[in-house]
Amino acid sequence: MKIRYRHEWKHEISCSDMIAIRQRMSAVARSDPHTIDGKYLIRSLYFDNLSDKALREKIDGVNCREKFRIRYYNLDPSVIHLEKKSKKNGLGTKYSAPLTKEEAQRIVEGNIDWMPESGHTLIQELYSRMHDQGMRPKTIVDYTREPFIFDAGNVRVTLDYDIRTGLHSIDFLNPDCITIPAGDAPIILEVKWDDFLPAIIRDAVQLPGIQSRAFSKYAQCRIYG
């Protein structure tokens, strides 16, 4: 199967920038139909090994890197996915596999013996990393996302803010799990597309003096250790 990488821009923006982008995108694109009042809460549980390989590779700007996470939305555990994000030469791709609430909880608890028989290649791959490389759940990452979709170019524009960390807690299926602001985390504008970025979107996301730069919510949520 051919791997399809997507282009990605990330910008750190101000609150006034976010208001401007929201107004522009509302005029030219549609909101993701899965949102509630145009937004949703994302909760992820990120994995790393004992030497913090994923964190170090991000900080060091390693060209080819990957990270694993489990994710669900609006604190509703009826739909949970295991995801692996890979980066190569500035382009990204994502693999996904469904998890039940019970399977996710088993992984959190370190009960992984069932994973090789799951039938999903990605779950089997995570098992290999956990069994052979000591990969473990590391921290919870919470944030609010406002997503916009533009069909031409398969474009997705998102505004992410209120980034919060669970510190060392991995109890991510607990809706009462306490998270705190991840330092002075910025608002993040992300733009993702396949083969081309339509001019109407390129113009809508332009902001004076704003440069594309790497930003990792996982790394931001590890600032306390």
Side-chain angles (χ1 to χ4, degrees):
M1 181 178 65
K2 183 179 179 181
I3 299 174
R4 188 174 186 86
Y5 285 93
R6 280 166 62 78
H7 300 266
E8 179 178 299
W9 285 343
K10 288 187 180 181
H11 304 281
E12 297 183 16
I13 63 174
S14 68
C15 186
S16 59
D17 292 334
M18 180 174 69
I19 293 171
I21 294 294
R22 180 190 291 140
Q23 291 175 337
R24 296 175 195 171
M25 293 306 302
S26 296
V28 301
R30 57 188 173 91
S31 180
D32 187 316
H34 298 100
T35 62
I36 299 173
D37 295 329
K39 65 186 72 172
Y40 45 65
L41 172 66
I42 296 178
R43 169 162 287 183
S44 301
L45 179 65
Y46 280 81
F47 291 72
D48 216 330
N49 66 12
L50 297 177
S51 61
D52 286 332
K53 180 174 183 289
L55 178 62
R56 297 303 170 193
E57 288 183 347
K58 176 61 182 178
I59 293 173
D60 294 341
V62 174
N63 186 47
C64 297
R65 59 185 187 271
E66 60 190 21
K67 57 189 175 186
F68 286 82
R69 67 190 180 205
I70 301 175
R71 170 171 289 189
Y72 65 112
Y73 298 84
N74 294 323
L75 298 179
D76 177 7
S78 63
V79 178
I80 305 175
H81 284 93
L82 168 65
E83 298 177 346
K84 182 179 82 168
K85 288 199 68 178
S86 300
K87 276 292 187 71
K88 183 178 182 180
N89 298 325
L91 301 177
T93 192
K94 183 172 71 175
Y95 306 89
S96 180
L99 289 172
T100 66
K101 181 179 179 180
E102 292 72 24
E103 289 170 341
Q105 186 61 37
R106 287 183 188 177
I107 294 174
V108 170
E109 295 171 352
N111 178 0
I112 64 175
D113 292 343
W114 59 275
M115 296 172 69
E117 310 301 326
S118 71
H120 291 283
T121 302
L122 188 59
I123 295 176
Q124 295 168 354
E125 183 177 353
L126 178 60
Y127 167 81
S128 177
R129 303 297 179 87
M130 295 180 75
H131 184 270
D132 299 336
Q133 301 179 17
M135 184 175 280
R136 293 292 183 269
K138 207 70 173 185
T139 192
I140 295 168
V141 176
D142 280 351
Y143 58 95
T144 299
R145 166 165 285 179
E146 296 183 26
F148 299 90
I149 298 170
F150 194 83
D151 292 330
N154 190 24
V155 178
R156 188 172 181 85
V157 176
T158 57
L159 298 165
D160 297 339
Y161 52 91
D162 191 21
I163 301 171
R164 302 176 66 85
T165 174
L167 299 173
H168 300 294
S169 173
I170 59 173
D171 190 18
F172 92 127
L173 289 172
N174 177 5
D176 297 321
C177 176
I178 295 174
T179 61
I180 65 171
D184 189 21
I187 300 168
I188 302 298
L189 165 66
E190 293 189 11
V191 185
K192 298 178 182 178
W193 70 96
D194 286 346
D195 297 324
F196 70 99
L197 181 62
I200 190 171
I201 300 298
R202 186 184 297 271
D203 292 343
V205 300
Q206 288 300 312
L207 293 166
I210 301 296
Q211 300 293 323
S212 180
R213 55 159 293 179
F215 180 86
S216 166
K217 298 180 187 73
Y218 169 59
Q220 182 70 31
C221 287
R222 291 289 308 279
I223 61 171
Y224 300 118

